[in-house]
Amino acid sequence: MAAHPGARGTARPATTHPHPATADRPTVLTGATVVLPTETVHDGQLIIDGTRITATAPENAEVIDVTGHYVVPGFVDLHNHGGGGASFTSGSVEDVLRGIHTHRLHGTTTLVASTVTGDMDFLAQRAGLLSELAEQGEIAGIHFEGPFISPCRKGAHSEALLRDPDPAEVRKLIDAARGRAKMVTLATELPGGTDSVRLLAEHGVIAAIGHTDATYEQTVEAIDAGATVATHLFNAMPPLGHRTPGPIAALLEDDRITVELINDGTHLHPAALQLAFHRAGADRVAFITDAMDAAGFGDGRYWLGPLEVEVADGVARLLADGTIAGSTLTLDRAFKRAVTVDGLSVEDAVTALSATPARLLGMDDRIGSLEPGKDADLVLLDGGYELKGVMRRGEWVVGPQLH
């Protein structure tokens, strides 16, 4: 969830800014553990020429020894509302760019900007602003989370602004995004929900089931209609029951569904995460942040429309009732937690943070893995999985920190 203008935090994002790494010379990263789609290569190398990964190192290449480090693909975030004190829902263009850059500093080289529930005309206006940034390559597209969600599972959305998913209104948002709408989260059991799923599928937009009070049977119907994503599985939906399994069972069991997981230690118990991985596998899991303004910024008070949010010790909750209000997560932290706390392999973490979301977005021909011809998007991690460098399209966002 994203907070609105007037957010107050106690810390500022880092001031590192991109600087060209390969404008004059190709670069070879050598001595690294390189996580490739089919294998992990120890004492390997990665070659960057211009904005792309290449198979052969030119003679004039700069060689950087990164022995003892991992090189993994840049992270891909499907669901992100802001960061660095900036909101994707309500901030200026400058604010949005600051939020994007904050997440790049933490390894997210591709990001879908998410909005929150608002007035339809306002959301259409925001879609116009965000679509321009998508056209410029700053974001991968737009995700509308709300207003077509259940008042029973609204989370930190304003109930007064919720509405049923009328296909005509869903179409209004798609049109406002000028071909840059990537995903819409719906409570598909609401009137018009199934028809809206069909509409989204017909227009090549991901229909995501979330903030829903659907039964198991209603969820199956929505999947058959074309839904392909579970918005932050487990959160804002009925719990798994042995007589009334609800949406969770239907979403986990169907190979057509990719499940989003917020791996911040607050939204999910480790056992729930393990359940999702064991049932769905890394190829169907996408780690997301669901970040709001405080990500990379700090604790403090923030506004979510008319709802005040308190961020304390990195956890965002509504001041009124303590409901979780998005996260302050960054994907480098999600990666480290996946390996060191959840016991996932580095390879599975890479799949869930890069390959799976890239494929879902239809961008896996360019991003999501380290292969010749693809964008030079990468993250450098030390042996303790701490971020030590970020490259996006051949330029260092965070230069190698090797000492």
Side-chain angles (χ1 to χ4, degrees):
M1 306 302 153
H4 287 253
R8 305 184 298 280
T10 57
R12 296 286 175 180
T15 57
T16 305
H17 292 285
H19 60 279
T22 58
D24 298 320
R25 297 176 62 189
T27 300
V28 179
L29 303 179
T30 187
T33 298
V34 185
V35 182
L36 302 175
T38 58
E39 62 178 332
T40 297
V41 179
H42 302 281
D43 194 21
Q45 68 176 17
L46 192 74
I47 306 165
I48 299 100
D49 193 353
T51 63
R52 300 296 180 93
I53 298 168
T54 187
T56 306
E59 291 183 3
N60 66 333
E62 176 187 10
V63 178
I64 302 175
D65 186 351
V66 292
T67 299
H69 292 73
Y70 291 88
V71 178
V72 302
F75 305 141
V76 181
D77 195 353
L78 298 172
H79 185 157
N80 187 316
H81 296 277
S87 165
F88 297 155
T89 298
S90 58
S92 66
V93 170
E94 182 182 21
D95 292 334
V96 174
L97 289 172
R98 185 170 75 253
I100 293 166
H101 184 64
T102 296
H103 285 281
R104 286 180 186 167
L105 294 174
H106 293 276
T108 298
T109 52
T110 300
L111 178 151
V112 175
S114 302
T115 62
V116 295
T117 293
D119 175 84
M120 287 293 293
D121 289 337
F122 175 76
L123 289 175
Q125 180 185 30
R126 291 303 295 179
L129 180 149
L130 293 172
S131 67
E132 291 181 9
L133 293 175
E135 289 161 6
Q136 295 166 15
E138 297 292 344
I139 60 175
I142 306 165
H143 164 220
F144 298 100
E145 187 181 25
F148 311 115
I149 61 176
S150 172
C152 301
R153 304 287 174 177
K154 65 183 183 299
H157 292 253
S158 173
E159 186 169 355
L161 295 171
L162 301 182
R163 58 183 62 218
D164 291 338
D166 181 340
E169 295 201 317
V170 174
R171 178 64 186 268
K172 178 180 179 179
L173 292 186
I174 296 173
D175 290 346
R178 303 201 303 261
R180 301 295 177 167
K182 285 292 186 181
M183 183 161 63
V184 178
T185 293
L186 306 162
T188 54
E189 75 279 6
L190 296 176
T194 303
D195 288 339
S196 291
V197 168
R198 293 193 183 98
L199 172 74
L200 292 168
E202 288 169 1
H203 286 80
V205 179
I206 297 164
I209 300 172
H211 287 275
T212 177
D213 205 40
T215 64
Y216 173 89
E217 291 76 15
Q218 289 170 327
T219 306
V220 170
E221 180 183 5
I223 297 169
D224 287 340
T228 56
V229 166
T231 293
H232 43 54
L233 186 74
F234 299 109
N235 297 114
M237 59 183 62
L240 182 66
H242 63 291
R243 293 193 182 94
T244 53
I248 293 173
L251 294 164
L252 277 178
E253 74 181 6
D254 198 305
D255 289 344
R256 294 172 289 182
I257 293 292
T258 299
V259 298
E260 295 181 347
L261 297 177
I262 309 171
N263 192 23
D264 62 352
T266 298
H267 282 78
L268 295 176
H269 190 283
L273 183 140
Q274 287 290 344
L275 173 64
F277 261 90
H278 287 158
R279 184 60 187 89
D283 288 338
R284 287 181 48 218
V285 170
F287 281 136
I288 61 163
T289 61
D290 193 17
M292 48 82 75
D293 307 31
F297 191 69
D299 290 351
R301 295 278 180 90
Y302 297 80
W303 286 99
L304 181 61
L307 308 177
E308 195 166 11
V309 176
E310 174 84 39
V311 179
D313 296 326
V315 178
R317 296 183 181 275
L318 293 183
L319 196 64
D321 62 9
T323 299
I324 295 175
S327 88
T328 63
L329 185 64
T330 53
L331 285 182
D332 57 335
R333 286 169 44 211
F335 187 105
K336 182 176 180 178
R337 180 177 177 86
V339 178
T340 62
V341 175
D342 302 311
L344 300 183
S345 68
V346 169
E347 291 79 7
D348 278 353
V350 165
T351 299
L353 282 159
S354 302
T356 296
R359 185 180 66 251
L360 187 70
L361 292 173
M363 299 176 68
D364 53 329
D365 59 330
R366 287 182 42 217
I367 63 171
S369 60
L370 302 176
E371 299 176 84
K374 292 193 176 183
D375 288 354
D377 292 354
L378 62 89
V379 177
L380 189 65
L381 303 168
D382 67 14
Y385 311 106
E386 292 288 343
L387 185 144
K388 295 298 179 182
V390 180
M391 179 180 283
R392 181 176 185 268
R393 298 180 185 173
E395 295 188 357
W396 289 110
V397 181
V398 178
Q401 301 168 9
L402 304 177
H403 303 291

